[in-house]
Amino acid sequence: MLDEQAKKTMLQKIPHGLYICGVKDGEEVNGFTLSWLMQASFKPPLVVICVNQNSISHQMIKNSGFFAVSFLEEGQKDLAQKFFKQMRRVGNKFEDVEFYLGKTGCPIISDSLGYIECQVVDVVARGDHTVFVGEVIAAGVHREGKQMLLETTGWQYGG
Ligand SMILES: Cc1cc2nc3c(=O)[nH]c(=O)nc-3n(C[C@H](O)[C@H](O)[C@H](O)COP(=O)(O)O)c2cc1C
C-alpha cells in the first residue's frame, strides 16, 4: 500500500523553478504559471512541461503545437500570482503585463530574465496532467539575474 503522506512529503521535495508559460491559439494568447519543467535532451534540445488537462492553456497548446517559457527573476511574485488565475475566470491576463510575440507567435514576458520557445514534438496524456515534449527552436536572454525558485516563494505545486 502506498504511504500517502510519505509520497506527498517526498514529491514536494522535488526542486522546481517558477515560470510563465505563454500559449496561443490562432490570434488568442494566454499564459499560466508553470513549475513542472525540465530539460530532456541535449541534441536535439528538448524540454518537458506538464500541463493540467483542465486548463485552457492545455487546449491551446494542443491546438497550436507551440509554447514559450519566460523565466522569472526572484522577487517577481506578483507576476507569478497573476498567472495562477484561470483565463476562464479573469479573462485576459496580459492586459496590464508588457509582452511581445516570439517566433512561434506565443507571448513572452518583457520583464523576465529570458525565454525559450518550443515546438511540441511529443505528447504523453496520462493522469491529470499532460506531458508535452518540446523542442527548443528559439531562445533569448533579456538580462542577468537569479531565477525564481518555487521553494523560496513558500508556494507548493506537487505532492
Ligand atoms: C506554484 C504554482 C505552480 C504551478 N505549476 C503548474 C504546472 O507546472 N503546470 C500546470 O498545468 N499548472 C500549474 N499551476 C496552475 C496554473 O498556473 C493554473 O491552473 C492556471 O490558472 C491555468 O491557467 P489557464 O486556465 O488560464 O490556462 C501552478 C500553480 C501554482 C500556484
Side-chain angles (χ1 to χ4, degrees):
M1 261 259 286
L2 175 63
D3 181 336
E4 285 290 334
Q5 192 51 53
K7 182 258 304 170
K8 185 171 178 185
T9 301
M10 296 318 297
L11 289 181
Q12 289 187 344
K13 288 190 189 299
I14 299 174
H16 294 285
L18 211 54
Y19 316 88
I20 306 297
C21 184
V23 301
K24 66 155 189 185
D25 186 2
E27 295 290 291
E28 191 171 39
V29 297
N30 187 32
F32 68 100
T33 304
L34 169 81
S35 52
W36 291 358
L37 161 77
M38 67 181 283
Q39 183 160 359
S41 164
F42 284 118
K43 266 189 179 151
L46 301 178
V47 297
V48 293
I49 64 168
C50 307
V51 184
N52 185 340
Q53 290 172 0
N54 291 322
S55 67
I56 286 267
S57 298
H58 182 272
Q59 194 55 46
M60 294 175 78
I61 296 172
K62 281 198 83 168
N63 290 350
S64 76
F66 293 104
F67 62 88
V69 180
S70 295
F71 287 60
L72 296 180
E73 185 170 13
E74 62 180 4
Q76 291 188 296
K77 280 182 85 170
D78 289 354
L79 204 48
Q81 212 153 9
K82 182 182 289 282
F83 283 89
F84 290 172
K85 298 182 180 137
Q86 295 176 7
M87 191 191 193
R88 280 193 196 94
R89 296 214 178 137
V90 299
N92 181 9
K93 293 180 230 181
F94 281 102
E95 207 161 58
D96 55 354
V97 176
E98 203 185 307
F99 72 99
Y100 60 95
L101 300 182
K103 278 187 188 151
T104 58
C106 294
I108 293 166
I109 306 272
S110 305
D111 182 18
S112 65
L113 296 179
Y115 67 92
I116 54 174
E117 289 187 86
C118 300
Q119 177 167 16
V120 174
V121 292
D122 230 323
V123 178
V124 183
R126 245 179 224 278
D128 49 21
H129 282 55
T130 293
V131 180
F132 290 105
V133 181
E135 178 164 352
V136 180
I137 57 171
V141 178
H142 294 150
R143 61 168 192 258
E144 281 302 311
K146 187 148 173 33
Q147 72 275 23
M148 187 177 239
L149 299 177
L150 180 61
E151 190 187 347
T152 57
T153 63
W155 297 323
Q156 279 287 1
Y157 194 79

